[in-house]
Amino acid sequence: MSATFAPATAQPSGYFPLGPSLWAATAVAAPPTEPLAQDTRADVVIVGAGYCGLSAALHLAERGVRVVVLEAQEIGFGGSGRNGGQVIPGLKYDPSELRTMFGPERGQRLIDFASGTADAVFDLIARHGLDVPHVRQGWIQGAHIPSALALAERRVRDWQGQGVAARLLDREQVRHLLGTDNYLGGWEDPRGGGVQPLSYVRELARVAIAAGAAVHTHSPVVQLSREQATSSLWRARTASGATVTAERVLLCTNGYSDDLWPRLRKTVIDANSFQVATEPLPETLRRSILPAGHVSSDARNLLLYYRLDHTGRLLMGGRGTFAEPTRTQDWAHLENAIGKLFPQAAHVPINYRWCGHVAVTQDYLPHLHEPAPGLLIDIGCQGRGVGLQTRMGQALAAYVTDGDANALPVAPSAIKPFPLYELRRLYVGAVIAWYRLRDGGV
């Protein structure tokens, strides 16, 4: 069985029409890599050099597995280099909901996996001495309406029941810790934090290469096929014609998935997440916004997420148009959000504007697919990809080497595209308009 797609082209001009992103401007250098120039063999070939692919490569290489990673563009070109850098544990669903959905045993396995996603990131940074600016003072979710405050109360109970030192925050505590009076209250998860996301993915590549993995950039895979009809070996052919032959394939392209495997691209909504960053805040102003070093995203349907980076810039992120942005006005809603949430910073100039794709599945859960023996697909970051995909890479590596299905947080499922996928821009636009109406003002 095989599948093909059109070779990747250069980065679309609409991605960074106003210059580089903040992360591209401040990241550590990527390790030297080259395109795949000749046919090679491996035990495992990984498609996609993002968090999941590189985490899997690192953990496989540490177990003595021969790994080749093929990346269509640069390391971190996709969502791994374009996100907000927030490391938030858990999933959209709380522990009580997951136990109801999956039963006590499978539900608890998924809860334990999701609970440890932030640990996976910060443990790797510490263990390998990664050159990644980071902070871990906790994550706060603000509640803008009474129903969101009730949700915060439930989440605190749920996570406290899992041994997490979560705490409910009243209005004054949220005002003090966030620097805004726009929330009725909220809750704090001490496991959360933030990283420079592009530095993190580049450093993952560096240590994976040091462990023995081969990483080839500008090597888009245009075909996955069996070496022979009766063979258990897979062949990944790149646009240059060079191939990798391996026993196993891990496909880890997430929100930048194409038609390499049939119908996969249509299983997620590749929504845009927009972000802006100010110039470094003056010290007196910096002390009035997130003074304790928390990261935050609120409970709106169209959530806003914000933090300070290691240079003291205020970052604001949220949803935007489905089409790729081309004008500064496409980020105006986030600049307005800064003025409404943090009026003390409304006058601070915006230095950076960028966006990236978020892979959202129909059930808001990570998905694994095993459509053929030896091929395992990971997709669906749900906006929490830094921790989720780092730990997913660890799980895939354990599954490949040990063959234990219990190493996977969710069981592989059938590939099921979104209904009426070609109309997604219309119905996503309608949902966004409805959510904006329900969310009210900032």
Side-chain angles (χ1 to χ4, degrees):
M1 187 173 188
S2 66
T4 61
F5 81 124
T9 58
Q11 175 172 307
S13 60
Y15 274 30
F16 299 125
L18 308 173
S21 71
L22 169 64
W23 306 133
T26 63
V28 299
T33 56
E34 295 180 352
L36 183 69
Q38 59 187 14
D39 295 351
T40 189
R41 297 200 51 144
D43 298 320
V44 179
V45 58
I46 299 174
V47 182
Y51 297 134
C52 183
L54 290 171
S55 175
L58 169 61
H59 291 92
L60 286 168
E62 289 179 332
R63 294 175 178 225
V65 177
R66 294 178 301 163
V67 184
V68 173
V69 181
L70 300 174
E71 164 59 41
Q73 301 284 351
E74 295 285 351
I75 293 166
F77 168 84
S80 295
R82 301 168 185 265
N83 63 85
Q86 296 200 20
V87 187
I88 304 172
L91 298 168
K92 175 182 173 62
Y93 302 104
D94 299 319
S96 59
E97 294 175 306
L98 292 174
R99 282 194 296 270
T100 298
M101 294 166 67
F102 293 96
E105 183 177 345
R106 288 182 58 208
Q108 190 60 50
R109 188 163 74 237
L110 182 53
I111 292 165
D112 293 342
F113 172 87
S115 181
T117 53
D119 288 341
V121 172
F122 294 110
D123 288 351
L124 278 177
I125 291 174
R127 177 159 62 93
H128 292 281
L130 304 185
D131 184 8
V132 178
H134 62 281
V135 62
R136 195 179 193 186
Q137 298 298 325
W139 167 66
I140 293 174
Q141 184 175 47
H144 62 297
I145 54 177
S147 60
L149 194 56
L151 178 64
E153 293 172 353
R154 189 192 76 195
R155 287 179 168 166
V156 168
R157 289 195 304 269
D158 263 24
W159 284 113
Q160 285 180 346
Q162 296 293 319
V164 175
R167 63 169 179 151
L168 193 66
L169 303 173
D170 62 25
R171 184 166 197 155
E172 178 57 27
Q173 289 171 312
V174 169
R175 186 201 64 76
H176 172 70
L177 293 173
L178 296 186
T180 177
D181 194 35
N182 277 262
Y183 298 107
L184 303 177
W187 72 288
E188 178 188 22
D189 188 330
R191 299 169 296 174
V195 298
Q196 210 286 15
L198 184 55
S199 286
Y200 175 58
V201 73
R202 286 178 173 179
E203 284 287 272
L204 276 183
R206 179 181 64 80
V207 294
I209 292 169
V215 178
H216 296 281
T217 51
H218 297 287
S219 301
V221 178
V222 297
Q223 185 181 50
L224 286 175
S225 61
R226 297 286 196 184
E227 188 176 37
Q228 298 173 357
T230 59
S231 174
S232 62
L233 296 178
W234 286 86
R235 177 175 291 159
R237 183 170 64 85
T238 64
S240 70
T243 65
V244 179
T245 302
E247 297 174 5
R248 302 293 297 265
V249 178
L250 299 181
L251 184 52
C252 308
T253 48
N254 239 301
Y256 291 78
S257 296
D258 44 39
D259 294 322
L260 179 58
W261 193 260
R263 305 191 303 159
L264 178 64
R265 175 174 57 89
K266 297 181 179 182
T267 65
V268 295
I269 296 295
D270 52 340
N272 274 330
S273 186
F274 284 61
Q275 293 152 79
V276 298
T278 68
E279 67 179 27
L281 302 180
E283 185 60 32
T284 54
L285 183 54
R286 191 182 309 185
R287 289 197 296 267
S288 75
I289 297 174
L290 298 160
H294 291 86
V295 301
S296 182
S297 54
D298 61 27
R300 302 172 198 276
N301 291 298
L302 295 177
L303 62 82
L304 295 170
Y305 56 92
Y306 41 90
R307 56 173 288 209
L308 297 178
D309 81 334
H310 60 289
T311 68
R313 300 175 189 272
L314 174 60
L315 281 68
M316 179 67 68
R319 297 292 179 261
T321 62
F322 204 101
E324 300 299 343
T326 58
R327 310 166 303 155
T328 58
Q329 293 93 320
D330 293 327
W331 286 268
H333 60 297
L334 296 181
E335 297 178 39
N336 292 335
I338 288 178
K340 292 178 180 179
L341 283 178
F342 304 106
Q344 65 270 44
H347 66 283
V348 180
I350 301 296
N351 281 176
Y352 297 95
R353 299 171 177 86
W354 72 100
C355 78
H357 294 173
V358 177
V360 181
T361 59
Q362 295 185 58
D363 57 9
Y364 298 100
L365 288 168
H367 285 188
L368 296 174
H369 306 297
E370 208 164 13
L375 171 63
L376 186 60
I377 299 171
D378 162 66
I379 196 165
C381 61
Q382 323 304 332
R384 297 195 178 189
V386 183
L388 176 63
Q389 295 304 316
T390 296
R391 192 151 200 219
M392 187 65 80
Q394 294 175 339
L396 299 188
Y399 176 67
V400 166
T401 54
D402 300 336
D404 182 5
N406 288 328
L408 301 176
V410 293
S413 59
I415 294 175
K416 295 181 180 179
F418 266 89
L420 302 174
Y421 177 80
E422 287 72 16
L423 300 178
R424 70 194 185 284
R425 296 194 177 196
L426 293 177
Y427 61 69
V428 169
V431 169
I432 287 175
W434 169 243
Y435 280 165
R436 282 197 176 123
L437 181 64
R438 291 191 61 188
D439 287 337
V442 174

